[in-house]
Each structure stands twice: as structure tokens, then as C-alpha cells.
Amino acid sequence: EPEVTQTPSHQVTQMGQEVILRCVPISNHLYFYWYRQILGQKVEFLVSFYNNEISEKSEIFDDQFSVERPDGSNFTLKIRSTKLEDSAMYFCASSPGISGNTIYFGEGSWLTVV
Amino acid sequence: DAKTTQPTSMDCAEGRAANLPCNHSTISGNEYVYWYRQIHSQGPQYIIHGLKNNETNEMASLIITEDRKSSTLILPHATLRDTAVYYCIVCWFQGAQKLVFGQGTRLTINP
């Protein structure tokens, strides 16, 4: 069964450093998403991406964050100048967009900022 | 804010049916009801969705009331592996979706 894959599964970074989280969405899906979950809190929407541009973003997704689809398969989340409060599980997701639009999530990338 | 209300926690005996309720009284006519679950800190797993008719798949059944203001997710024969947080979410079916997760229901399956 097709699945969304994410790398790395866990990354530790120093405060102020830049981090790139990578995702391979399900093939032929058209919509891509990033969500995050701070430990013990709700899953929160960050951004949706369609046709090579951001379609919607939350208040959390400020100038510190950016997304990119550098090629036909990868979808990345870049976090510049990380802060302690960026420590969270980041989930990538994708949906078909046409014939049914169920969102499928990856297993997540756990980011720890120290 | 999430547009759904769910009990904080529930218990169910292994092998029995688990019935998880959800209230979504402000649902609009073209919003679907989706159910996801999250086991530990894994990625949310899609279970089932529906608009107004009852739905069934290999994982669960979804019963939506006629007025669409509430629904029930049924796991027919719960196993220990079904212990998870279950989220009921209403959203559009088309285009880019922004799922709004609430606190969900923490379902514990007891041996």
C-alpha cells in the first residue's frame, strides 16, 4: 500500500541552526501538507501546497518556515534559525485532490532543538 | 477550533465492539465527517469518512444520524492494537484540506 515517507525520523539540532525535513508524498497525489504536534498537544496544521505554491498556511507558519517541492517526488519543510519551541513531531501528508481527497500522513520527523 | 465534541476517554473490552461518539452540530451541508486515529506518537491514520450515509470498510463502520449532527465510529471486534486516540473531524472533501484536530477520544482496549 502506498505511503508517505519522511526523513529523518529524529533530528537533534542546536538553537539557531537551520533544519530541513524531507518527505516523499504518495505518488500521483496533488496536495501536500505539513502538520506538527508538540509533545502532549494537539496535531496542528502548518501549511498546504498545491501546484507548486502554498494554498493555505496557519499563523504558526511564519517567515521562519518555508516549503519546497524541489523535484517530482520530494516535498521539504525548512525551518530557519530554530528555536526551542520548534521542538515537535512534524508530519507530512498528501491527498489525491481529484478522485476523493482523503489525507494520508507519514510517520513523522521528531525534531529536538537544544 | 475543532468543530466536533468527543468524550475524553473510553474503555472497551477486547473482542467487544467499541462505539465512539462524536457531536458535530454545526456541520454544513457539504462537509464530510472523517475519523483518524493516532497510536502513540505515530502519524494520524485514516480510518473512514462519510457524508450522510452509513459507511463500512475493513477497519470500521461509521453511523451518521439523519440530521448529521452526530456520528458514531464502530470498531466491531476491538483488539489491543486498537488502543489509540481517535479523532472525529469535519471538513470539505474538495481541494486542499485543513484538518482541525481536537483532543480526540483516548480509547483503551482492556484484555
Side-chain angles (χ1 to χ4, degrees), chain A residues 1-112:
Chain A
E1 182 176 319
E3 58 182 18
V4 176
T5 58
Q6 293 186 238
T7 55
S9 56
H10 188 195
Q11 181 161 355
V12 180
T13 190
Q14 295 223 326
M15 191 167 50
Q17 296 297 304
E18 177 181 283
V19 164
I20 297 177
L21 305 179
R22 291 180 169 81
C23 168
V24 179
I26 294 173
S27 178
N28 296 325
H29 279 194
L30 302 179
Y31 291 87
F32 314 112
Y33 312 84
W34 284 99
Y35 285 74
R36 82 171 185 187
Q37 186 174 31
I38 295 171
L39 187 63
Q41 298 187 21
K42 302 176 188 179
V43 178
E44 301 174 288
F45 168 82
L46 290 179
V47 65
S48 58
F49 191 86
Y50 171 70
N51 200 25
N52 283 320
E53 61 183 27
I54 291 173
S55 51
E56 186 174 356
K57 60 183 180 180
S58 71
E59 293 178 350
I60 304 168
F61 195 89
D62 58 21
D63 292 342
Q64 181 193 7
F65 295 88
S66 62
V67 289
E68 188 179 33
R69 187 156 165 81
D71 53 42
S73 60
N74 291 288
F75 180 53
T76 62
L77 174 69
K78 182 188 291 186
I79 309 174
R80 287 180 285 274
S81 188
T82 50
K83 299 174 284 192
L84 295 177
E85 53 264 38
D86 294 327
S87 294
M89 181 73 89
Y90 289 82
F91 297 110
C92 176
S94 68
S95 61
I98 298 178
S99 56
N101 211 21
T102 297
I103 295 179
Y104 296 92
F105 288 81
E107 287 304 307
S109 292
W110 180 246
L111 175 65
T112 302

Side-chain angles (χ1 to χ4, degrees), chain B residues 1-105:
Chain B
D1 290 339
K3 296 190 285 185
T4 63
T5 304
Q6 300 178 250
T8 303
S9 63
M10 293 182 64
D11 286 88
C12 179
E14 188 178 18
R16 305 296 293 270
N19 296 279
L20 291 87
C22 178
N23 287 318
H24 32 80
S25 58
T26 61
I27 192 170
S28 65
N30 44 12
E31 284 184 314
Y32 281 69
V33 179
Y34 279 79
W35 283 83
Y36 283 81
R37 72 181 182 183
Q38 189 174 27
I39 298 172
H40 297 299
S41 294
Q42 296 177 19
Q45 178 188 21
Y46 166 75
I47 301 173
I48 199 167
H49 73 277
L51 181 63
K52 53 184 177 181
N53 297 321
N54 298 337
E55 303 287 346
T56 296
N57 63 19
E58 65 279 3
M59 289 183 69
S61 295
L62 174 60
I63 309 298
I64 303 174
T65 58
E66 192 170 341
D67 63 8
R68 302 211 322 125
K69 293 185 177 182
S70 65
S71 61
T72 301
L73 178 74
I74 301 173
L75 307 178
H77 304 288
T79 71
L80 297 179
R81 289 177 297 179
D82 292 321
T83 293
V85 179
Y86 287 77
Y87 299 99
C88 168
I89 302 170
V90 297
C91 65
W92 300 91
F93 193 66
Q94 302 294 331
Q97 294 186 346
K98 174 184 169 183
L99 297 180
V100 179
F101 286 82
Q103 295 290 355
T105 295

